[in-house]
């Protein structure tokens, strides 16, 4: 929570107020199998009317936590209303985030601010949680199909699974099923 207070001036200098939030280190809703580094829940989801932010326990450095925290605080300022759309993008860019908005991280100037803040915060009393790489990548693979000749791949819609794998548009052969057809279909 002290990190939020140290980050607050970054938002204020570009005209945004960080609302009251709660921050926890813990798995986002996708659990340890997801790839989310953080997640912000809107005030509508919380009994106490506060945005709830979760930072993944497998982040390594204090700067990575702060970088992810800034991203999630942008969601809190927006109360999660625009996801990673235009409203989020404006706030994110204004505070110094760069890159594709779903994975926006600190730009050079913001990164310098975050490094300074880590120095002000002192010892970070959280040790990285080591999660086997397989667990991080073990989400359910959507059903799809792949041509064994040319490698052409597609993702299948649930409503078409009962029809079976499609025919490759290039080689005109039946494509091989990939992913979990039984679990989703």
């Amino acid at each position: 929570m002290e990190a939020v207070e140290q980050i607050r001036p970054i938002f204020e200098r570009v005209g945004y107020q960080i609302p009251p939030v709660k921050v926890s280190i813990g798995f986002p809703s996708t659990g340890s199998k997801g790839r989310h580094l953080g997640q912000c829940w809107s005030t509508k989801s919380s009994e106490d009317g506060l945005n709830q932010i979760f930072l993944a326990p497998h982040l390594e450095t204090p700067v990575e936590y702060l970088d992810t925290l800034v991203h999630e605080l942008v969601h809190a300022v927006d109360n999660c209303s625009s996801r990673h759309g235009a409203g989020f993008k404006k706030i994110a860019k204004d505070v110094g985030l760069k890159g594709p908005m779903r994975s926006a991280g600190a730009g050079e100037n913001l990164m310098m601010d975050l490094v300074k803040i880590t120095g002000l915060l002192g010892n970070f009393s959280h040790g990285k949680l080591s999660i086997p790489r397989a667990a991080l990548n073990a989400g359910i693979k959507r059903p799809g199909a792949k041509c064994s000749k040319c490698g052409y791949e597609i993702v299948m819609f649930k409503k078409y699974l009962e029809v079976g794998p499609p025919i490759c548009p290039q080689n005109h052969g039946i494509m091989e099923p990939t992913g979990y057809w039984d679990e989703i279909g």
Side-chain angles (χ1 to χ4, degrees):
M1 294 308 300
E2 179 60 27
V4 173
E5 294 310 311
Q6 294 294 328
I7 291 170
R8 189 175 301 282
I10 294 169
F11 281 76
E12 290 174 347
R13 72 179 172 224
V14 289
Y16 299 105
Q17 293 296 315
I18 296 173
V21 297
K22 288 186 178 173
V23 179
S24 302
I25 294 175
F27 292 111
S29 63
T30 54
S32 66
K33 295 179 182 178
R35 288 183 239 168
H36 291 97
L37 300 180
Q39 187 171 47
C40 180
W41 289 81
S42 79
T43 58
K44 296 173 200 159
S45 301
S46 175
E47 189 177 275
D48 61 7
L50 299 177
N51 292 105
Q52 305 282 331
I53 294 174
F54 292 89
L55 303 175
H58 59 277
L59 294 172
E60 285 191 49
T61 67
V63 171
E64 286 178 310
Y65 278 97
L66 293 180
D67 191 4
T68 303
L69 179 58
V70 170
H71 180 110
E72 299 310 323
L73 287 169
V74 171
H75 285 298
V77 168
D78 184 49
N79 197 27
C80 307
S81 65
S82 63
R83 299 187 183 216
H84 292 101
F88 175 90
K89 185 175 185 175
K90 175 161 180 17
I91 300 166
K93 286 187 165 199
D94 287 349
V95 299
L97 295 177
K98 304 265 187 220
M101 290 299 113
R102 287 182 55 85
S103 59
E108 188 177 327
N109 291 334
L110 177 57
M111 185 58 73
M112 288 189 301
D113 287 341
L114 297 181
V115 168
K116 288 177 191 170
I117 291 170
T118 60
L120 294 172
L121 292 173
N123 185 37
F124 182 56
S125 62
H126 174 76
K128 177 188 172 195
L129 183 61
S130 294
I131 303 167
R133 174 74 49 206
L136 287 173
N137 296 326
I140 294 175
K141 187 172 180 203
R142 290 196 48 168
K146 182 175 184 176
C147 177
S148 60
K149 291 182 182 175
C150 70
Y152 176 73
E153 286 185 84
I154 63 163
V155 173
M156 295 288 295
F157 288 108
K158 184 177 180 180
K159 64 184 178 180
Y160 297 119
L161 292 178
E162 64 187 38
V163 176
I167 295 173
C168 176
Q170 182 174 334
N171 294 303
H172 309 290
I174 295 177
M175 297 170 70
E176 300 288 324
T178 60
Y180 295 103
W181 283 57
D182 294 336
E183 289 184 30
I184 297 179

